[in-house]
Amino acid sequence: MGMGRSDKKRIVLKIGSNVLTKGTDHISRGKIEDIGRQIVALQDIYEFVIVSSGAIAVAKQFVNLESNGIAITVKQALASIGQPHLMRIFQESYRDLGLLTSQCLLSYSDFEREQSKKNIVNTINVLIANNYIPIINENDTVATDEIQFGDNDKLAGLTASLLKADLLIIATNTNGICTKESVENKTFQTISEVIDINVLDEEIVEEISTHGTGGMKSKVQAAKIAQHAGIETWVVNGLEDDFMSNAINDKVPFTRVKPEKENIEKI
């Protein structure tokens, strides 16, 4: 029945809007290429599923929508305009690197029904087996959860859990999660390893990133979902080049949230 998984480690990579725009008002093709080059360099050992934000940020480059109405509806409309552009940028950049891409739009209700969960897993496994990188985003036209809160972080946690990933990497614009005190005094000390995730709730500073809607709270929430499924989460600084390769080789500061179960083999 169906295709078995390869023996590659499966990474779910979540890229926030603040990473994709490098903190500007435009999607950075250079950043999308950087991620693609890393995937090429790592693809003998790892297989990738990308959860990407950025549809709204892309749309803002093209349009300024007239809105007398509700802000959330405008954001949904922007997402609808931006999503095909975002996919086109991925497709063009990755084709040049010899990588194939595919689009999967999911909403939260999909994770609540057994049949749709099976369909998601089967579809994504077939895509990966055929060397297509699934690029997942929230189906923003029908769903508003992540627009209002979370910048696809929770979606990434649920996806990693459903796809039995070996590792969830959340790429953001800081060197992982820093202690609250160090953020307040601007020294930015990264918390390098966490097992008791509740400790992080104390350390989160309530800030919201420019383009994103998440801040750290939703990243901790995503890590909790992954940890519950026995999956390790890394919160890394995606603004740096080679951020995944560098984290894998322990060359940069980032936060590891370890699974509670002792018997999980090391990544």
Side-chain angles (χ1 to χ4, degrees), residues 121-163:
V121 171
N122 293 340
T123 303
I124 286 177
N125 285 342
V126 168
L127 287 166
I128 291 173
N130 287 281
N131 293 320
Y132 277 80
I133 299 167
I135 299 178
I136 295 171
N137 200 342
E138 193 189 17
N139 189 353
D140 288 314
T141 316
V142 294
T144 57
D145 305 52
E146 290 288 29
I147 289 182
Q148 285 172 314
F149 174 78
D151 196 48
N152 284 340
D153 291 321
K154 187 179 171 194
L155 188 68
L158 291 169
T159 299
S161 172
L162 184 61
L163 298 178

Side-chain angles (χ1 to χ4, degrees), residues 70-112:
I70 308 157
I72 194 82
T73 311
V74 174
K75 284 187 171 167
Q76 284 177 285
L78 285 169
S80 158
I81 294 164
Q83 184 64 27
H85 286 292
L86 181 63
M87 288 308 302
R88 194 191 70 238
I89 298 168
F90 269 109
Q91 201 170 19
E92 287 169 357
S93 302
Y94 284 20
R95 193 171 50 211
D96 294 343
L97 294 164
L99 297 171
L100 301 163
T101 54
S102 59
Q103 169 180 267
C104 303
L105 295 177
L106 301 179
S107 53
Y108 281 104
S109 54
D110 297 329
F111 290 91
E112 286 159 13

Side-chain angles (χ1 to χ4, degrees), residues 181-197:
E181 187 186 3
S182 75
V183 172
E184 284 161 1
N185 67 26
K186 302 278 192 285
T187 55
F188 301 107
Q189 300 299 310
T190 300
I191 302 167
S192 57
E193 197 166 292
V194 180
I195 293 174
D196 178 5
I197 200 164

Side-chain angles (χ1 to χ4, degrees), residues 234-260:
W234 294 0
V235 182
V236 303
N237 189 337
L239 297 179
E240 304 292 335
D241 284 351
D242 291 323
F243 60 91
M244 285 191 289
S245 309
N246 285 340
I248 287 166
N249 297 314
D250 240 338
K251 290 183 181 170
V252 288
F254 67 98
T255 301
R256 269 191 176 89
V257 181
K258 311 284 275 189
E260 285 165 333

Side-chain angles (χ1 to χ4, degrees), residues 210-221:
T210 333
H211 283 284
T213 47
M216 277 302 159
K217 195 172 183 177
S218 59
K219 290 169 185 47
V220 172
Q221 191 186 5

